[in-house]
Amino acid sequence: MDDRSRTSARDIRRRNRSILLSKLFFDAPLSRLELAQLTGLSGATVSNLTGELVDERLIVPVGQVESDGGRPRVMLRVDPRYGYLVGADVGETGVKVELFDLAMERRGEADLPLAGERPTPAEVADRVVAGLAQVLGAAGVQADQVIGIGVAVPGTVERGESIAVHAPTIGWQAVPLEQLLRERGVTAPVFVDNGAKAQGRAEMWFGAGRGARHAVVALVGSGVGAAVINDGAAYRGAGSTAGEWGHTTLVYGGRECRCGAQGCLEAYVGAGAVVERHREAGGGLAGDDQEAAIAALLADPSAEAERVLAETADYLGAGIANLINLFNPERVVLGGWAGLLLGPRLLPRIREAAQRQALAFPFGQVTIEMGSLGSDAVAFGAAMLPLEALLGAGADPRR
């Protein structure tokens, strides 16, 4: 057998293992017979690979069920205690760190504020490491039990020999975030991705996007972004920067955006922009607490507040119509902390605005829904980065 044949055999074995492990993760408990039926793999392949996974203690038996005339079938599942996953959501005012077991049950969380809206890379790395120590200490988990750490950032992630984060809205250019974490003692594998893509991964695997093959998961918070899902896979583009929906032009020559351009969608529907428009209309709160200011806007009965909310819904609807026309999704999911606050009240008008602005045929194929995982979706999705690596190339809940 030549090297190419051996490589091909290894790849096939790796993929088969991934398919089995993913099926057990999403649909367990399952017997070996059921695994063979659901995956199309041979009984011998299933028996050999599940034997390896049991020996590694990655999967465990969880009882037996009677079979028709034969021996009882042993049921298998992924062992939640095999290891732990960490997800960190780096926002512009704080860092949220959460700890999960392999059943994706939350085992701890820590919220650490940042000094301002343009945190330094060193400050963010310090907060991630401090949050990691807090959640591990509170749960009684040792550092060597951590399978990996996923970090979601408000910018684009350049993937090469090393990971570099570009986040112009907070003043970051080619920041070596993984290296900064290593310098602070982090030894577990580190994975870094954009926050909107992390949220998209969570909603597609476990939330409002599950079951869709073509979808857009929109994030509206201090920043605005989107994860575009094409035939079940995230579309990243040539440099992994696809999905910067917030920096598409809504009004040419319009309001100044934090990125330096004018008229970006984020300059109209990002949390800071909505708060600023409310203040311009004579309402809002003093200070920098955007979440409290959005809540004040929703509670304000004045005509000015109603106008700001109506305009926000129309801007969002127009932005979503652009996504519908460009990508023809079957589902658009609205998330992000500001989107989740505004959406329950604004969603009917958002849909109406999207219908007015979108082409009739693709709009007739889409539903526009709220995210179902709440404000923790980004950290949850970040923790799924090491999970995805563990499950491997066959990790697809829609398989």
Side-chain angles (χ1 to χ4, degrees):
M1 181 181 293
D2 61 22
D3 289 343
R4 185 169 52 187
S5 298
R6 282 194 291 271
T7 300
S8 177
R10 279 199 303 270
D11 290 344
I12 292 170
R13 185 176 185 82
R14 187 181 299 116
R15 179 164 179 78
N16 288 344
R17 174 186 166 103
S18 174
I19 290 170
L20 286 177
L21 192 53
S22 299
K23 186 59 68 175
L24 284 167
F25 180 84
F26 288 105
D27 299 322
L30 295 169
S31 68
R32 290 177 173 84
L33 176 63
E34 290 170 322
L35 282 168
Q37 292 170 339
L38 290 169
T39 63
L41 299 176
S42 71
T45 296
V46 170
S47 180
N48 288 337
L49 291 176
T50 54
E52 289 180 7
L53 292 167
V54 168
D55 289 344
E56 294 170 24
R57 300 183 181 178
L58 184 47
I59 66 174
V60 291
V62 286
Q64 298 180 336
V65 295
E66 296 297 325
S67 62
D68 297 332
R71 292 183 301 175
R73 296 199 300 266
V74 176
M75 306 302 288
L76 301 168
R77 65 165 295 178
V78 172
D79 186 355
R81 298 170 297 180
Y82 175 81
Y84 296 85
L85 309 163
V86 175
D89 174 9
V90 177
E92 293 166 4
T93 59
V95 174
K96 178 189 289 288
V97 180
E98 299 190 346
L99 177 72
F100 300 86
D101 63 21
L102 268 190
M104 294 309 292
E105 293 291 333
R106 187 177 291 103
R107 297 301 182 187
E109 61 183 296
D111 287 285
L112 297 96
L114 293 166
E117 291 187 2
R118 293 173 70 87
T120 67
E123 182 186 5
V124 166
D126 287 341
R127 295 296 188 276
V128 171
V129 171
L132 175 63
Q134 284 187 31
V135 295
L136 293 181
V141 172
Q142 301 300 312
D144 61 4
Q145 294 177 275
V146 175
I147 294 168
I149 300 166
V151 184
V153 295
T156 60
V157 180
E158 179 184 355
R159 303 174 190 280
E161 292 184 6
S162 60
I163 295 172
V165 179
H166 302 268
T169 57
I170 59 174
W172 287 18
Q173 182 66 36
V175 169
L177 186 57
E178 180 183 4
Q179 178 183 326
L180 293 176
L181 295 175
R182 296 282 179 233
E183 291 171 356
R184 286 157 174 78
V186 173
T187 57
V190 174
F191 305 82
V192 184
D193 205 353
N194 167 265
K197 291 183 175 68
Q199 175 191 261
R201 181 179 294 100
E203 290 286 358
M204 291 302 296
W205 282 30
F206 292 101
R210 187 161 190 189
R213 298 296 300 178
H214 301 275
V216 178
V217 182
L219 182 149
V220 179
S222 298
V224 176
V228 178
I229 311 301
N230 178 48
D231 197 22
Y235 177 72
R236 291 185 172 274
S240 197
T241 69
E244 288 294 329
W245 177 51
H247 300 291
T248 57
T249 302
L250 185 66
V251 180
Y252 183 76
R255 298 175 69 95
E256 185 174 352
C257 182
R258 297 180 303 165
C259 73
Q262 290 181 298
C264 294
L265 179 67
E266 185 176 301
Y268 292 86
V269 304
V274 175
V275 171
E276 183 60 29
R277 290 193 292 109
H278 190 205
R279 287 174 180 160
E280 291 171 1
L285 297 175
D288 297 322
D289 190 336
Q290 291 181 350
E291 188 168 350
I294 294 287
L297 169 60
L298 289 166
D300 187 343
S302 71
E304 291 79 12
E306 287 297 324
R307 177 174 58 79
V308 170
L309 288 169
E311 288 176 350
T312 300
D314 291 344
Y315 291 139
L316 267 172
I320 288 172
N322 288 337
L323 294 172
I324 292 169
N325 289 343
L326 282 169
F327 299 111
N328 186 206
E330 61 193 284
R331 197 173 304 167
V332 173
V333 177
L334 177 60
W337 70 262
L340 293 171
L341 280 176
L342 294 165
R345 179 153 162 192
L346 301 186
L347 197 58
R349 183 158 181 149
I350 290 170
R351 290 185 178 125
E352 291 170 4
Q355 184 173 18
R356 287 195 303 271
Q357 296 298 123
L359 295 170
F361 181 68
F363 184 82
Q365 298 177 303
V366 72
T367 60
I368 303 172
E369 305 175 14
M370 294 299 303
S372 63
L373 296 180
S375 59
D376 289 338
V378 176
F380 189 91
M384 288 172 60
L385 289 164
L387 173 64
E388 211 170 32
L390 176 70
L391 297 183
D396 185 347
R398 296 163 295 276
R399 181 175 297 279

